[in-house]
Amino acid sequence: MRRRTFLKWSVRAGLITAVSMAGWGCSRESKDGSQAIRMPPLPYGFDALEPYISEETLRFHYEKHQRGYVDKTNRLLRDTSMQKQPLVNILLDSYQAKSCEQNAVFNNAAQVYNHTFYWNSMKPSGGGKPVGLMAERINQSFGGYDTFRETFTKAAIERFASGWTWLVLKEGALAAVNTANAVTPIVQNMRPLLVIDVWEHAYYLDYHNRRDVYVEAFLDHLINWEFAAANMGEA
Ligand code: FE
């Protein structure tokens, strides 16, 4: 019941609107009348984030990794009751999975969602200190941008193995939180605002084992604060 309530709240708050605007969480009608998860559009060119994320990394990440999650999700959902559900519903329904099959659905579908959120969390010539609404909320929750930067960086560096570091709205305040593997904040009653992918495939070609330098580049040159502000919705 709580998850359903959260879904309604998310829709009202504009999260799902943001998802739809970005072309994700989307499904399409196929020729046989069934629906399927599809690849979201990348919001910029493959070379647009250079020199901080190379064209090679972005092409592999989008065309191989995310494409793989999309294709696997569609294979797993074929001829199931979840096939025609929006992506967010699939995540909420499969998160408490009891079976290996449902667990695989969650992991692959969540990776589609998380990667789309990540593409939109960055933009060319982004990064640095936020202004306006996000600056106010960062100051209220962290006591200033420098503390936010330190907290977010520490979380991203200390996330052991694969996962994601998010800026979320949690119980009325902003927080930097990590999720493991494919887990996404929307199934933990938190509203995601921004995310950095800290799986090694996101940075290894460009930074090798220097995750700290990748996180620094994300914060200083790539963050899309307008996307975070849009995800705040009416909060
Ligand atoms: Fe990734």
Side-chain angles (χ1 to χ4, degrees):
M1 180 60 74
R2 189 179 181 194
R3 287 187 298 138
R4 288 294 181 201
T5 303
F6 175 66
L7 178 59
K8 288 178 185 172
W9 170 78
S10 297
V11 172
R12 191 174 65 246
L15 171 61
I16 307 304
T17 302
V19 165
S20 300
M21 285 173 63
W24 53 345
C26 45
S27 54
R28 63 179 162 77
E29 199 77 23
S30 63
K31 288 180 181 173
D32 64 359
S34 63
Q35 289 184 308
I37 303 302
R38 68 182 180 195
M39 282 291 283
L42 194 64
Y44 32 71
F46 287 113
D47 62 352
L49 303 183
E50 289 193 341
Y52 308 107
I53 293 180
S54 67
E55 178 174 354
E56 184 182 22
T57 289
L58 202 48
R59 278 193 184 279
F60 266 101
H61 205 170
Y62 179 78
E63 293 183 334
K64 302 297 182 187
H65 290 273
Q66 192 174 24
R67 167 66 70 188
Y69 294 124
V70 167
D71 291 348
K72 185 75 182 292
T73 303
N74 285 327
R75 282 201 299 277
L76 291 166
L77 292 180
R78 192 174 298 148
D79 300 326
T80 72
S81 60
M82 282 196 280
Q83 189 174 16
K84 294 184 179 180
Q85 293 293 317
L87 181 58
V88 172
N89 294 35
I90 294 167
L91 298 182
L92 294 168
D93 286 344
S94 60
Y95 181 54
Q96 303 295 346
K98 297 287 191 294
S99 68
C100 292
E101 290 79 7
Q102 279 191 315
N103 194 43
V105 167
F106 175 79
N107 284 337
N108 284 278
Q111 286 294 78
V112 176
Y113 180 92
N114 292 348
H115 279 93
T116 307
F117 214 97
Y118 173 59
W119 310 140
N120 287 280
S121 294
M122 301 183 288
K123 67 173 189 177
S125 303
K129 295 181 180 179
V131 296
L133 172 67
M134 289 311 300
E136 284 176 29
R137 298 305 297 261
I138 289 282
N139 288 339
Q140 288 167 2
S141 298
F142 293 94
Y145 175 79
D146 291 344
T147 305
F148 154 75
R149 194 179 188 289
E150 187 179 325
T151 305
F152 190 91
T153 299
K154 187 170 187 287
I157 292 172
E158 292 184 350
R159 166 63 217 154
F160 183 73
S162 299
W164 303 81
T165 299
W166 305 79
L167 178 65
V168 298
L169 184 62
K170 178 182 179 183
E171 298 171 353
L174 302 193
V177 301
N178 286 337
T179 59
N181 301 318
V183 176
T184 190
I186 63 169
V187 299
Q188 297 180 329
N189 218 21
M190 296 182 285
R191 190 191 307 186
L193 305 178
L194 284 171
V195 71
I196 180 171
D197 186 344
V198 293
W199 286 58
E200 274 193 350
H201 65 229
Y203 61 88
Y204 203 82
L205 290 175
D206 298 330
Y207 297 95
H208 299 155
N209 63 327
R210 295 299 307 273
R211 186 190 289 182
D212 57 329
V213 183
Y214 161 63
V215 173
E216 187 176 78
F218 176 85
L219 287 163
D220 293 345
H221 302 286
L222 297 173
I223 271 189
N224 183 349
W225 284 114
E226 291 81 7
F227 179 65
N231 288 324
M232 287 289 294
E234 64 191 34

